[in-house]
Amino acid sequence: MLGNVSTRETPVSGRINRIEQANAIEVSIIMPCLNEAETLETCIKKAQRFIAENDLAGEVIIADNGSDDGSQEIARRLNARVVNIPTKGYGSALKGGIEAAKGKYIIMGDADDSYDFSNLNPFVKKLRNGYDLVMGNRFKGGIESGAMPFLHRYLGNPVLTGIGKLLFNSPCDDFHCGLRGFRKDAITNLDLQTTGMEFASEMVVKATLYKMQIAEVPTTLSPDGRSRPPHLNTWRDGWRHLRFLLMYSPRWLFFYPGIFLILGGLLATLSLLPSPKVHSLLYSSTAMTIGFQIVTFALFTKVFGISEGLLPEDRRLNRLLKYLNLETGLIAGCALFLIGTAASVYAFGIWGENNFGSLNPTETMPIIIPGVTCLALGIQTIFSSFFLSILGLKR
């Protein structure tokens, strides 16, 4: 009977389990590759020497992205594991390599011989100490002459890293270092989506947002050994990184600018109401309307990102949404709409008293402009509340 089946481990099965554990791969070294025949052999040999000298259970994986220069043959000749990734892109290659990796820990690095794969002990040590992501830092480890273009070293990397630290409070001082190590299960759980060079930023941003344990180790950057230009395009890929950072921070992209416009517009409106400067009043009221719309974009983006698993849960937002529900939004929207309607009726009455003829703008516009603003804000509030509720529906 099924209830009498023993679950105890037999001597044979116990021995097999111990053998499997002993042979389990601890470290997978992944190199994304697209026509790197000039430098690939050197990188593979360095990685294999590191594994052998440190008596590691490891493997070298070449995540090939469609090379046609013999890179795959070089890798197979050196007993590296080749994983063919048909979808083009740096991120695609790395995601395919990570999925195929058998190691508990993964160390990724470019196959252009700019990073030293024979000196990865600092990464392994940090990973064994419990860190989820270990970033290399080229600015602390040293950048050799000619290893990084002037524009990248003094503008691109510092600016994008600074923006990343500001937007996400990340501890990383070198967002774009191509040499980094991580626990496979931790990074797999992040469900990284990007396919291009911005994959490097996505990994850091999501690891920060999900409060993973992150460390940095000094890393030396050497001039690459290729005779051809690098795959990286300064302006195109720089924009893709910046775009990703902004899109992943609704607070900085939408909320803060929107609040600034609302408060600035409100203060200006209050100061202009008693004055004859009705044209300025129109601009200040418009600023409030635009600011309100931008703030709702922040809410929409945040709720959508959380519901799709792109962003982690936000306890402050959850508390806020307990009060900013559909019913509250409808009440607030209707109240604003009624205020706007009342102001419009009052202005219409003034016009009637003047036999529907010409009016003095300095007398009527301080009533009409706030009234129209309330009408617009009321309608926006009503329909935004419905849309926010739709986004919050459980899938």
Side-chain angles (χ1 to χ4, degrees):
M1 295 175 62
L2 184 59
N4 295 327
V5 175
S6 173
T7 59
R8 291 184 300 173
E9 191 176 76
T10 65
V12 174
S13 65
R15 185 163 59 251
I16 292 174
N17 287 337
R18 287 192 293 272
I19 293 173
E20 289 177 348
Q21 292 173 2
N23 293 333
I25 293 176
E26 182 184 22
V27 179
S28 296
I29 301 175
I30 299 177
M31 303 177 197
C33 177
L34 177 59
N35 295 328
E36 304 288 4
E38 291 180 291
T39 54
L40 186 60
E41 182 170 349
T42 300
C43 293
I44 292 174
K45 286 183 175 179
K46 285 183 178 180
Q48 290 174 334
R49 184 166 67 249
F50 166 77
I51 291 172
E53 290 178 350
N54 290 276
D55 195 26
L56 291 172
E59 63 176 351
V60 178
I61 296 177
I62 306 303
D64 191 79
N65 213 196
S67 298
D68 56 12
D69 66 345
S71 294
Q72 297 181 0
E73 289 72 21
I74 293 172
R76 292 191 180 98
R77 174 169 54 82
L78 295 172
N79 295 319
R81 188 150 68 95
V82 177
V83 179
N84 294 309
I85 314 296
T87 306
K88 295 295 184 183
Y90 175 78
S92 296
L94 282 169
K95 285 194 292 184
I98 292 169
E99 183 178 354
K102 299 177 181 178
K104 176 182 179 181
Y105 306 128
I106 293 175
I107 298 176
M108 55 173 261
D110 301 336
D112 59 3
D113 199 26
S114 58
Y115 296 109
D116 186 6
F117 285 101
S118 63
N119 184 27
L120 302 178
N121 275 316
F123 293 90
V124 175
K125 183 178 179 180
K126 290 287 187 183
L127 291 170
R128 286 173 172 171
N129 286 339
Y131 286 95
D132 301 302
L133 173 63
V134 184
M135 296 289 298
N137 189 314
R138 299 164 294 181
F139 297 95
K140 292 180 179 179
I143 302 173
E144 296 182 10
S145 177
M148 184 182 293
F150 179 90
L151 196 62
H152 295 188
R153 183 170 183 174
Y154 296 103
L155 179 63
N157 277 294
V159 168
L160 290 174
T161 294
I163 292 173
K165 290 173 69 68
L166 173 66
L167 268 56
F168 305 101
N169 195 29
S170 173
C172 298
D173 293 318
D174 187 2
F175 256 56
H176 305 105
C177 183
L179 187 63
R180 57 186 70 180
F182 46 85
R183 282 182 32 237
K184 179 180 177 178
D185 60 345
I187 297 302
T188 300
N189 289 338
L190 292 179
D191 190 25
L192 303 178
Q193 298 291 324
T194 52
T195 60
M197 290 291 183
E198 67 273 23
F199 180 86
S201 293
E202 183 184 10
M203 182 182 294
V204 178
V205 167
K206 278 196 166 181
T208 302
L209 290 175
Y210 281 88
K211 303 187 184 304
M212 290 185 174
Q213 295 296 313
I214 304 174
E216 280 192 323
V217 296
T219 300
T220 301
L221 183 70
S222 305
D224 65 63
R226 300 174 296 199
S227 59
R228 61 165 176 79
H231 297 300
L232 179 70
N233 181 288
T234 298
W235 298 107
R236 180 197 65 200
D237 291 314
W239 163 243
R240 291 181 68 165
H241 280 284
L242 177 60
R243 180 183 67 183
F244 172 82
L245 294 175
L246 292 173
M247 289 173 63
Y248 248 76
S249 181
R251 179 177 54 176
W252 285 90
L253 180 61
F254 297 120
F255 185 74
Y256 289 156
I259 289 294
F260 175 79
L261 285 173
I262 290 173
L263 294 179
L266 178 61
L267 292 175
T269 297
L270 293 175
S271 66
L272 290 168
L273 280 175
S275 75
K277 300 176 181 179
V278 292
H279 298 88
S280 299
L281 181 62
L282 181 60
Y283 279 100
S284 64
S285 298
T286 302
M288 284 195 294
T289 306
I290 296 172
F292 178 81
Q293 188 65 65
I294 294 174
V295 169
T296 60
F297 285 159
L299 284 172
F300 297 159
T301 305
K302 188 78 170 181
V303 171
F304 175 79
I306 292 172
S307 66
E308 292 295 319
L310 301 174
L311 295 171
E313 288 286 339
D314 190 322
R315 287 179 294 178
R316 290 178 298 180
L317 178 64
N318 290 337
R319 288 196 298 267
L320 179 64
L321 291 179
K322 289 182 179 179
Y323 303 99
L324 293 181
N325 52 32
L326 175 60
E327 291 73 21
T328 304
L330 292 178
I331 293 171
C334 289
L336 285 169
F337 186 82
L338 290 174
I339 293 172
T341 302
S344 300
V345 170
Y346 181 64
F348 187 80
I350 295 175
W351 190 27
E353 291 176 357
N354 287 272
N355 298 319
F356 301 104
S358 299
L359 293 172
N360 183 354
T362 60
E363 294 180 359
T364 55
M365 294 304 282
I367 301 171
I368 293 173
I369 291 176
V372 172
T373 302
C374 286
L375 286 172
L377 292 177
I379 293 172
Q380 284 186 336
T381 301
I382 291 170
F383 287 99
S384 294
S385 299
F386 275 110
F387 187 55
L388 190 61
S389 297
I390 292 171
L391 286 178
L393 290 175
K394 298 296 183 182
R395 286 171 170 79

